[in-house]
Amino acid sequence: MKESIAVVGANLAGGRAAQTLRKEGFEGDIHLIGMESHPPYERPVLSKEVLLENCDPAQAYLQTEDAWEQQGIQLRLSTVVTRIHRQSRQLELSDGGLVRANKVLLCTGGRVRRLPVPGAELEGVEYLRTIDDAVAVRDRLQTGAPVVVIGGGFIGAEVAACAKLAGCEVTMLEAEEVPLWRVLGHELGGILCGIHRDQGVHVKTKTTVDRIEGNGRVTNVVTSEGERIEASTVVIGVGITPATELAEGAGLEVGNGIMVNGFCETSIPGIYAAGDVANHPNAILGGRVRLESWQNAQKQAAAAAKSMLGESKAFNDVPWFWSDQYDLNIQMSGQPDPTDSIVYRGDKSSRSFSAFFLRDGVLRSVVAFNRARDVKRTMTYIASRQILEPAQLGDESVDLRRLGD
Ligand SMILES: Cc1cc2nc3c(=O)[nH]c(=O)nc-3n(C[C@H](O)[C@H](O)[C@H](O)COP(=O)(O)OP(=O)(O)OC[C@H]3O[C@@H](n4cnc5c(N)ncnc54)[C@H](O)[C@@H]3O)c2cc1C
């Protein structure tokens, strides 16, 4: 009988895994099952080009629906996998169907965390994860419209930037002292905050939401301090939670995500996980991580596909992430920890600089504002955990490619 592999979750990780299986010569059946109605797509454009109306959402598709068919990948959209029988590796589907597979890959990703405040169900209160969400938000960004963004993380900051560029009156509410405080720390978060304020966004920090008001449609956001802010649209970006319920139901080990080993295999042999949902051991970072990034979803999915075909190479990669806000491009490698010591290169006031995060002389992460090449040139040092001289990192006259020579 022909071998078969089932991939649950038909987005970036699931799509890349299915493509990799074929590319690597797997000739058995591939079932790619996803609950969304769209074929697999990339999400980063949703909070950038799509909101700015610079891109048709269909351009985000990994490939056309026909291409999946031509590759012999059985793509089943608008279908939820409701249960996995871990012994028989049989999958129950929401349409009553059953899929039997020799191996299963879980790429179920994450779903938005809901804000538990009164009024969050009013019309005009939006989240941003899917193409449909992005189209709904885009259509509401009319010139002069009062928009409140709740959450100053990367998604919130990108939405605020797009709304401002679309001519809206934008307020961004952030619970911490500065946006992205937990990721970037006080100084970098403060610089980002300044960039938004210079663009005319009202950034209110140390501010939480008490309730959202309206009469069917949203009209105001009321903060915990009692301030009432006018809003015809509210976009909530307060993070995601990994979609682990299917894995839990099948008795897989789950913590912050689905626990996998270096080969992307879960606690049950033959069942794998990759992408936003997977929690993997990363030797470079020196611990377990669950990453929510485009690069990780692609690369880990490809690694999982190869592991399923018998390759015994552990997945170990330096995390990389980017964000675009106005004319600012932020790139980040490794995992910044604001408690590390930070060395700067470039001019912070001109907003073209890099921050190198070091612990005991070892470069652990780089965050670059409009200096992508500094990230590219230092990834290998993060991977090799090389001890570097802080003075050299900070000295513009020193070529970053020649450190340690
Ligand atoms: C708006 C936005 C902008 C982003 N911008 C950037 C960026 O600039 N840079 C960057 O590095 N990263 C960015 N990211 C993050 C990146 O897009 C994600 O890390 C990536 O999409 C993760 O892919 P995934 O396939 O693992 O998970 P997901 O994209 O969450 O896909 C999981 C899929 O599984 C489906 N699913 C779940 N459970 C089931 C089930 N039981 N049955 C069937 N289907 C199921 C879901 O419906 C979903 O379609 C952005 C994300 C968003 C939302």
Side-chain angles (χ1 to χ4, degrees):
M1 211 166 90
K2 238 186 182 183
E3 258 204 277
S4 78
I5 292 179
V7 181
V8 185
N11 210 263
L12 182 58
R16 290 292 181 224
Q19 289 174 325
T20 306
L21 288 168
R22 276 290 177 256
K23 225 164 70 195
E24 294 293 311
F26 178 69
E27 289 178 351
D29 290 333
I30 302 174
H31 303 273
L32 177 55
I33 309 155
M35 65 167 79
E36 289 188 57
S37 58
H38 298 277
Y41 59 92
E42 310 199 29
R43 300 196 193 271
V45 287
L46 303 185
S47 50
K48 305 173 184 69
E49 289 85 347
V50 170
L51 291 190
L52 292 172
E53 298 194 70
N54 290 340
C55 156
D56 184 313
Q59 282 175 253
Y61 292 171
L62 299 193
Q63 57 186 30
T64 61
E65 276 191 66
D66 288 350
W68 296 103
E69 205 179 316
Q70 280 151 21
Q71 290 158 6
I73 294 167
Q74 298 175 41
L75 181 60
R76 298 169 86 134
L77 300 175
S78 307
T79 307
V80 183
V81 175
T82 51
R83 196 166 167 208
I84 299 175
H85 298 267
R86 65 186 208 180
Q87 298 304 346
S88 59
R89 307 240 172 72
Q90 198 158 276
L91 274 53
E92 289 182 18
L93 309 183
S94 51
D95 60 8
L98 274 182
V99 167
R100 211 182 293 269
N102 300 96
K103 287 182 179 161
V104 177
L105 174 61
L106 297 174
C107 298
T108 47
R111 32 186 89 92
V112 291
R113 195 173 286 140
R114 301 268 154 189
L115 194 68
V117 297
E121 71 297 336
L122 287 165
E123 192 201 319
V125 178
E126 308 283 347
Y127 291 83
L128 180 44
R129 182 76 188 167
T130 65
I131 282 191
D132 299 339
D133 296 339
V135 169
V137 173
R138 181 197 67 191
D139 292 349
R140 303 189 69 91
L141 300 185
Q142 306 298 330
T143 307
V147 173
V148 174
V149 177
I150 302 176
F154 281 113
I155 302 285
E158 289 187 353
V159 172
C162 291
K164 194 69 217 172
L165 291 170
C168 302
E169 195 54 45
V170 185
T171 305
M172 180 162 75
L173 306 180
E174 165 56 46
E176 302 290 352
E177 281 175 41
V178 291
L180 284 158
W181 174 76
R182 250 178 265 259
V183 184
L184 301 179
H186 199 269
E187 187 164 14
L188 287 173
I191 293 171
L192 187 66
C193 189
I195 289 171
H196 281 274
R197 284 187 172 142
D198 286 354
Q199 294 284 341
V201 173
H202 309 288
V203 186
K204 292 179 185 290
T205 57
K206 291 203 252 178
T207 302
T208 53
V209 172
D210 181 69
R211 62 187 184 280
I212 301 172
E213 294 180 336
N215 189 3
R217 279 188 200 161
V218 58
T219 54
N220 295 291
V221 173
V222 183
T223 69
S224 302
E225 288 73 37
E227 188 183 355
R228 181 171 272 109
I229 304 163
E230 189 192 355
S232 61
T233 297
V234 172
V235 184
I236 301 174
V238 292
I240 63 164
T241 48
T244 53
E245 61 284 345
L246 200 57
E248 281 169 58
L252 272 55
E253 194 188 332
V254 165
N256 170 24
I258 303 172
M259 298 295 174
V260 296
N261 63 20
F263 305 100
C264 309
E265 194 163 23
T266 68
S267 54
I268 305 291
I271 304 185
Y272 296 71
D276 278 16
V277 79
N279 184 316
H280 76 279
N282 186 302
I284 297 166
L285 300 178
R288 281 195 158 271
V289 276
R290 188 180 64 76
L291 299 167
E292 296 169 8
S293 83
W294 175 88
Q295 175 236 32
N296 180 69
Q298 303 224 99
K299 290 196 166 183
Q300 196 177 30
K306 290 178 189 173
S307 288
M308 293 172 100
L309 300 180
E311 186 177 294
S312 58
K313 188 166 172 247
F315 173 70
N316 243 331
D317 219 25
V318 178
W320 175 80
F321 182 89
W322 89 99
S323 173
D324 294 317
Q325 298 162 37
Y326 315 104
D327 54 2
L328 171 70
N329 169 255
I330 302 176
Q331 297 213 9
M332 200 161 85
S333 57
Q335 262 209 322
D337 177 343
T339 65
D340 287 348
S341 53
I342 303 177
V343 174
Y344 290 96
R345 169 179 282 235
D347 179 10
K348 280 183 264 178
S349 63
S350 74
R351 289 158 181 177
S352 169
F353 66 93
S354 296
F356 299 94
F357 290 66
L358 297 136
R359 184 169 300 173
D360 301 326
V362 175
L363 182 65
R364 288 157 44 93
S365 174
V366 181
V367 176
F369 280 38
N370 286 330
R371 280 175 71 121
R373 69 159 195 256
D374 286 0
V375 170
K376 205 166 159 207
R377 290 180 175 177
T378 49
M379 298 268 277
T380 53
Y381 302 123
I382 297 177
S384 60
R385 302 177 131 210
Q386 201 168 324
I387 293 191
L388 298 172
E389 189 51 58
Q392 289 199 323
L393 281 167
D395 183 349
E396 291 267 30
S397 69
V398 177
D399 187 336
L400 285 173
R401 290 165 295 190
R402 308 257 175 282
L403 298 181
D405 278 1

